[in-house]
Amino acid sequence: MSIFDAVGNFFAKDILLSLGVAIAIGMVFNRLVKKLGLPNVTGYLVAGVLIGPCFLQIIPDVWLRSCTLLVNVALGFIAFSIGGEFKFSKIKKIGKSVMVITFFQALMTTILVDIGLLLFFPPAVALCLGAIATATAPAATLMVIRQYKAEGPVTNILMPVVALDDAIGLVVFSISLSLAKLTLAVEGVNPLSILLDPIKEIVLSLVIGAVIGGVLSFCLGFFHSRSNRLVSIISAVFIGTSVASLFHLSSLLLCMAIGAMMSNFYRESEKMLDLTEHWTPAVLLLFFVISGAELDLTVVPTVGLLGILYLVLRSAGKYFGARLGSAVVHEDKNIRKYLGVALLPQAGVAIGMSQIVVNALPSEYGSQIRAVVLCATLVYELVGPLLTKIVLKRAGEIRSDGKDDDVPHPSSI
């Protein structure tokens, strides 16, 4: 038995021990990456890779499956906080630009990946990877924004673009997966559902989230203590995350709608968003450490040309799509130059899509697609936050004193 196996067996006895040590190691890496001038999220992800199943096994594979609840809760608060940025006053100013840029960058990414991969690989593989390529990772990108207190045109438009990207991604993915099934003559494909299913998922997610957010806004008026208001917010996010899971809806869109409703219909919404800072930093730290632990280094040698093409084509699609969309709506030159780079990180949503593909297509296609997505996630999550910091600094939107927050705050992610 190797020393790694021995460590894994020891920590497999108690999940709380694993998570406690994971938090401690995450904080150690937080300090280390600061010395190198890297974003906090990079340190958390590297810490996760080190203590995950691939190496030390402090978070063994058996516990990763048990961390689903924690991951869902963290994503719920991330989405809730993104929704808090959707004030009507802000959206009225940049609404057209956000929609156009999101549409261009998502569809150009899909088209480039589809065309490039169709030259060398089966249509089913190309179509699925082209759709998955649209997905971005709001947590990593927006954490960098708030860590360095970035402010400016690129930052202001990046947040809603990342949020709306998932809505377009859901539609593109559902259509592409159905077309992939048709190319393989997979049974059970209903042509009508190709369009209706993703639209139904988006609409239901937003409507239910809006209802929960409306109830939350109303109930907050009855409480005067900070603790009771915090409990109300936690309750709403928990309920929203659970409802999304039970009815197979998008938890990101649903919880985002909760935050948007509270932001617009409760006069002290900014104070409410700040309240979440008092209890969620450890949850979000664990979220990124666990995300790092889930990155499987063993898939890297297996992806070959398919993986390289996916990385190159997706990156080109995000960059040039955002640049073209920004030009169409005559946005600031810095938005044209830098927005696309900040859209590169990719994580949970893409992995979830790849898992759906594994269950929907024959194994020889599904396993290949999942390997590529896992490898791309590893690259994008480790490199993406650093690139986001670099472009925001070049855009002049990171303050010059270089100070930042030590831990992630969901109200500002």
Side-chain angles (χ1 to χ4, degrees), residues 48-297:
V49 172
L50 178 64
I51 67 177
C54 288
F55 291 104
L56 295 180
Q57 301 185 38
I58 291 174
I59 301 182
D61 187 62
V62 65
W63 288 142
L64 286 179
R65 293 187 291 273
S66 303
C67 292
T68 303
L69 177 62
L70 176 65
V71 170
N72 288 340
V73 168
L75 285 173
F77 274 98
I78 289 167
F80 173 81
S81 301
I82 293 172
E85 299 292 333
F86 277 73
K87 285 185 174 292
F88 291 146
S89 56
K90 291 183 179 179
I91 298 303
K92 188 175 180 179
K93 294 179 181 178
I94 62 174
K96 178 183 176 182
S97 296
V98 169
M99 293 301 297
V100 171
I101 293 172
T102 305
F103 181 83
F104 269 88
Q105 60 87 18
L107 291 190
M108 180 170 286
T109 301
T110 298
I111 291 170
L112 279 182
V113 175
D114 281 348
I115 294 176
L117 296 186
L118 279 171
L119 297 175
F120 304 97
F121 301 97
V125 173
L127 288 168
C128 289
L129 284 175
I132 294 173
T134 62
T136 52
T141 301
L142 299 179
M143 180 178 171
V144 173
I145 290 175
R146 292 307 185 181
Q147 178 189 343
Y148 296 101
K149 296 181 173 64
E151 294 181 359
V154 179
T155 302
N156 291 338
I157 207 164
L158 173 60
M159 299 176 78
V161 167
V162 169
L164 292 177
D165 193 52
D166 280 326
I168 293 180
L170 282 172
V171 176
V172 173
F173 176 73
S174 297
I175 294 174
S176 296
L177 180 59
S178 297
L179 292 175
K181 289 180 179 180
L182 288 175
T183 64
L184 298 174
V186 175
E187 296 182 0
V189 179
N190 183 352
L192 186 62
S193 69
I194 293 177
L195 286 175
L196 293 184
D197 284 352
I199 293 175
K200 180 177 70 174
E201 180 178 344
I202 292 169
V203 171
L204 284 177
S205 298
L206 294 176
V207 169
I208 294 175
V211 171
I212 296 175
V215 173
L216 172 63
S217 301
F218 178 77
C219 292
L220 285 173
F222 289 96
F223 300 111
H224 302 289
S225 70
R226 293 168 61 89
S227 58
N228 285 337
R229 291 176 178 178
L230 175 59
V231 170
S232 299
I233 293 172
I234 294 172
S235 173
V237 175
F238 278 16
I239 291 172
T241 303
S242 176
V243 169
S245 177
L246 287 172
F247 296 99
H248 305 290
L249 302 176
S250 170
S251 63
L252 287 175
L253 293 178
L254 196 152
C255 291
M256 185 181 72
I258 296 175
M261 287 295 290
M262 189 202 71
S263 177
N264 287 284
F265 292 99
Y266 186 67
R267 64 181 182 277
E268 297 183 4
S269 60
E270 291 186 5
K271 293 182 179 179
M272 297 303 98
L273 291 171
D274 289 340
L275 273 178
T276 58
E277 296 181 9
H278 295 288
W279 82 283
T280 49
V283 174
L284 294 180
L285 186 157
L286 272 176
F287 167 75
F288 288 108
V289 172
I290 291 170
S291 297
E294 290 177 332
L295 298 177
D296 187 359
L297 300 183

